[in-house]
Amino acid sequence: MASQAESQHPRKAFGWAARDSSGVLSPFNFSRRETGEKDVTFKVLYCGICHSDLHMLKNEWGNSIYPLVPGHEIAGVVTEVGSKVQKFKVGDKVGVGCMVGSCNSCQSCADDLENYCPKMILTYAAKYVDGTITYGGYSDTMVADEHFVIRIPDGMPLDAAAPLLCAGITVYSPLRYFELDKPGLHVGVVGLGGLGHMAVKFAKALGAKVTVISTSPNKQKEAIEQLGADSFVVSREQDQMQAAMGSLDGIIDTVSAVHPLFPLIGLLKNHGKLVMVGAPEKPLELPVFPLLMGRKIVGGSCIGGMKETQEMIDFAAKHNVKPEIEVIPIDYVNTAMERLLKADVKYRFVIDIGNTLKASS
């Protein structure tokens, strides 16, 4: 049976890649590995654009490997499975998020926290166990070990599922871990972009009261009427910040630009938690005194393990939590990156790979 057979040759693949730190993407032919005995191969139908794709394209974090095929919010349909695959079959709807490998022997892996494994392998621009470079989801096909493949529930459209595999889990995991998931708690969300709008939706679905904290007053109507936030605070308006002082049990801070933490810590109740999920390029200034006065915590969180990612997408399907997306063709991707840089997207670009990515001869 073809689905159970291991392919004997690396398969031809096609995608869009950047060749250097200019970050410009163009068509690219490459190879995916053959389907190993524990591998799932799937046809990519949609891939979300994450802000980290932009950083990686331009090598802003200093660890990019070119040619670079970005994309770690990948959704599609299984075309082949290895002989020892147990969880998936041909035709299943599946996805791959930010990682495709880990050591499987450390304490983090044992605790279902593969995302914190020191040998975690990123979905693109990383070295795989066989020494090859990993390529992401701006491509027509994907091969991954079944352990790192997520089942997409029925009722969750594939285009909406894609951003959940990074943006969704990035905010769901800290809400759960830092116990900001109890009905009746008051949660703040800083920034209303790809991560922030998902934080609002998940926190509301978990039963919290939500306040959005933003520098943009023009986002207020959308935050409350479209996304379901309970209140909105403009962080540059001193009177609004003063009125919200000491009102929040926790804050999910999604901002990736350098910004002051002191005013945010002031919004927390005693024992409140400020959790960073954005990744500013430069260190932020952390004033200690306001932490001491109220036993407050500043923490961080990065995506989630595979078990929690599956839990997140199942929860999203059950509670109808979906990202707000703008679906684009692949040949619009460079324009989309320029718009992303200007925060001109509500709230996540998703590339229609299945219908618009055509292989060059």
Side-chain angles (χ1 to χ4, degrees):
M1 184 175 164
S3 67
Q4 297 296 331
E6 269 73 68
S7 311
Q8 293 310 305
H9 303 288
R11 70 189 66 238
K12 288 181 179 174
F14 176 68
W16 279 46
R19 271 58 170 202
D20 54 43
S21 60
S22 70
V24 177
L25 291 150
S26 58
F28 176 58
N29 291 293
F30 64 103
S31 295
R32 292 278 187 205
R33 70 172 182 270
E34 61 186 54
T35 307
E37 58 185 19
K38 290 190 173 180
D39 282 338
V40 173
T41 297
F42 65 94
K43 178 179 170 58
V44 178
L45 296 178
Y46 294 97
C47 186
I49 297 181
C50 178
H51 207 282
S52 59
D53 295 346
L54 197 53
H55 290 295
M56 290 295 288
L57 285 169
K58 299 189 172 184
N59 197 24
E60 288 173 350
W61 292 332
N63 60 345
S64 300
I65 304 171
Y66 300 97
L68 188 150
V69 178
H72 59 209
E73 298 181 341
I74 313 165
V77 175
V78 176
T79 55
E80 188 176 31
V81 298
S83 58
K84 292 189 177 174
V85 168
Q86 297 178 332
K87 293 194 288 188
F88 303 98
K89 63 184 188 307
V90 170
D92 284 351
K93 295 194 299 180
V94 295
V96 164
C98 301
M99 55 185 164
V100 291
S102 66
C103 78
N104 207 28
S105 58
C106 69
Q107 192 59 50
S108 291
C109 288
D111 292 339
D112 297 312
L113 294 169
E114 302 90 345
N115 50 316
Y116 299 127
C117 170
K119 294 182 179 173
M120 188 256 283
I121 301 169
L122 294 171
T123 300
Y124 67 86
K127 284 262 177 78
Y128 198 64
V129 285
D130 60 6
T132 58
I133 304 302
T134 58
Y135 293 119
Y138 296 16
S139 61
D140 58 0
T141 184
M142 191 75 196
V143 184
D145 184 294
E146 74 167 330
H147 183 74
F148 294 91
V149 177
I150 292 294
R151 178 179 299 284
I152 295 174
D154 292 333
M156 175 61 71
L158 288 179
D159 55 357
L164 292 173
L165 298 170
C166 173
I169 187 61
T170 295
V171 296
Y172 179 88
S173 185
L175 286 168
R176 284 290 201 205
Y177 178 78
F178 290 99
E179 298 182 335
L180 300 173
D181 58 349
K182 310 285 184 287
L185 291 182
H186 194 168
V187 175
V189 174
V190 186
L192 200 61
L195 292 176
H197 93 288
M198 289 310 310
V200 173
K201 291 190 174 203
F202 272 117
K204 286 299 292 181
L206 289 162
K209 183 181 172 188
V210 177
T211 295
V212 171
I213 302 140
S214 172
T215 56
S216 311
N218 59 346
K219 289 186 176 177
Q220 177 165 354
K221 188 176 180 204
E222 210 156 348
I224 292 171
E225 291 179 15
Q226 241 181 293
L227 303 175
D230 298 280
S231 52
F232 190 93
V233 172
V234 180
S235 56
R236 292 185 173 133
E237 299 290 337
Q238 284 307 310
D239 54 339
Q240 291 187 28
M241 291 291 281
Q242 192 64 38
M245 288 277 280
S247 65
L248 303 177
D249 296 287
I251 296 173
I252 304 294
D253 185 343
T254 72
V255 176
S256 285
V258 173
H259 59 290
L261 298 183
F262 179 73
L264 300 178
I265 294 168
L267 298 179
L268 292 170
K269 296 177 184 174
N270 291 344
H271 311 138
K273 301 154 186 172
L274 170 60
V275 187
M276 315 298 296
V277 296
E281 288 167 47
K282 292 179 181 159
L284 303 182
E285 193 172 298
L286 179 63
V288 172
F289 196 68
L291 296 180
L292 307 181
M293 303 312 293
R295 200 190 272 154
K296 298 172 184 180
I297 288 171
V298 177
S301 183
C302 183
I303 57 171
M306 298 313 302
K307 186 178 175 186
E308 190 175 48
T309 303
Q310 187 67 58
E311 175 195 305
M312 174 276 306
I313 205 163
D314 291 344
F315 178 93
K318 183 178 176 183
H319 296 272
N320 198 30
V321 176
K322 293 184 192 134
E324 305 290 320
I325 58 173
E326 181 178 335
V327 179
I328 61 166
I330 187 74
D331 58 10
Y332 186 77
V333 70
N334 288 309
T335 306
M337 291 295 175
E338 289 168 18
R339 284 180 54 193
L340 188 58
L341 199 55
K342 295 183 282 195
D344 175 24
V345 55
K346 291 179 179 173
Y347 282 91
R348 204 66 157 184
F349 285 119
V350 175
I351 308 168
D352 182 351
I353 299 286
N355 291 314
T356 69
L357 181 67
K358 304 292 181 241
S360 59
S361 55

